Amino acid sequence: MFTGIIENLGSVRDVEPGEGGLEFSFFCPFADSLVLGESVAVDGACLTVVSFAADHFNAFLSRETLSKTTFERRVPGEVVHLERALRLDQRLGGHLLSGHVDGVGQILARKPKGEAEEFIFSAPPALAPMIAPKGSIAIEGVSLTVNEVEGNRFHVMLVPYTLEHTKFGTLRVGSEVHLEIDLIARYVARWLKAQHRS
């Protein structure tokens, strides 16, 4: 489990083809403290550390993971958000995340609002009903609060601290982003679907 509070920024070091997927190498400030098999959220996707060195770690991404994320289009040098798995003695500063990307959205607009900035995102039609005003959502692994929802569009306000300490400040209109909906919303949607069938 993760919280959506980004621990560090890293970057794609290398990408190599592998059997049934791709092996990624990520530059990581805390790589020397990792252990084999540990989970690290990279832009919100829970990846397993298969090897590491002083400044980077490697993870294998299966075709299933690649089909639900944007990693297949990533190139060396791209900045990524990094978060280690939650310890039980940590404060829960964001909201509970599984590290399973539900779908890919897109930045539709960026609007300055004083020192903050309003971002407008699109969501896949299947996810849009599970996004609610004042609810939580993870975008590129960052825990954020939804301000407004219009069909499959939703608005999020990013404060200066978030813009400075994440890669959101550098993302452009049209950029694709990983989305993970709130865990509670996912289970409510599943329950309602089951009730409808019965």
Side-chain angles (χ1 to χ4, degrees):
M1 300 298 289
F2 303 91
T3 69
I5 303 299
I6 300 306
E7 190 170 345
N8 285 106
L9 294 178
S11 63
V12 177
R13 175 176 176 266
D14 195 20
V15 186
E16 295 287 345
E19 187 176 348
L22 295 174
E23 183 164 319
F24 274 75
S25 179
F26 299 99
F27 284 116
C28 172
F30 52 79
D32 59 353
S33 64
L34 293 170
V35 297
L36 291 178
E38 181 173 348
S39 295
V40 178
V42 180
D43 282 344
C46 178
L47 303 181
T48 301
V49 176
V50 297
S51 62
F52 63 93
D55 65 346
H56 68 274
F57 72 90
N58 296 338
F60 182 78
L61 280 69
S62 69
R63 285 293 163 198
E64 171 67 16
T65 300
L66 294 170
S67 71
K68 295 214 171 4
T69 64
T70 63
F71 283 113
E72 203 157 22
R73 298 183 285 283
R74 302 296 181 93
V75 296
E78 282 197 42
V79 175
V80 295
H81 295 145
L82 300 172
E83 183 190 354
R84 299 178 84 167
L86 175 68
R87 294 197 318 262
L88 291 179
D89 62 346
Q90 287 178 282
R91 289 188 177 94
L92 182 59
H95 70 284
L96 285 176
L97 302 172
S98 65
H100 299 153
V101 175
D102 291 304
V104 174
Q106 190 176 55
I107 299 175
L108 300 178
R110 292 180 56 166
K111 299 179 180 180
K113 299 285 184 178
E115 294 185 354
E117 194 163 354
E118 182 182 42
F119 280 60
I120 301 175
F121 298 92
S122 66
L127 297 185
M130 292 178 273
I131 301 172
K134 307 308 177 187
S136 297
I137 191 168
I139 305 175
E140 289 292 282
V142 181
S143 174
L144 296 168
T145 301
V146 176
N147 286 348
E148 185 180 343
V149 179
E150 305 166 329
N152 72 327
R153 299 181 174 205
F154 64 97
H155 300 229
V156 170
M157 193 71 67
L158 297 180
V159 298
Y161 182 90
T162 304
L163 291 169
E164 182 181 348
H165 290 86
T166 69
K167 66 179 184 179
F168 280 112
T170 64
L171 295 181
R172 301 177 179 180
V173 172
S175 295
E176 294 180 307
V177 292
H178 294 158
L179 302 177
E180 182 182 336
I181 58 171
D182 184 68
L183 284 169
I184 296 173
R186 182 186 289 117
Y187 285 114
V188 168
R190 170 69 177 149
W191 181 82
L192 288 173
K193 189 174 183 179
Q195 292 300 305
H196 179 72
R197 286 177 177 172
S198 60

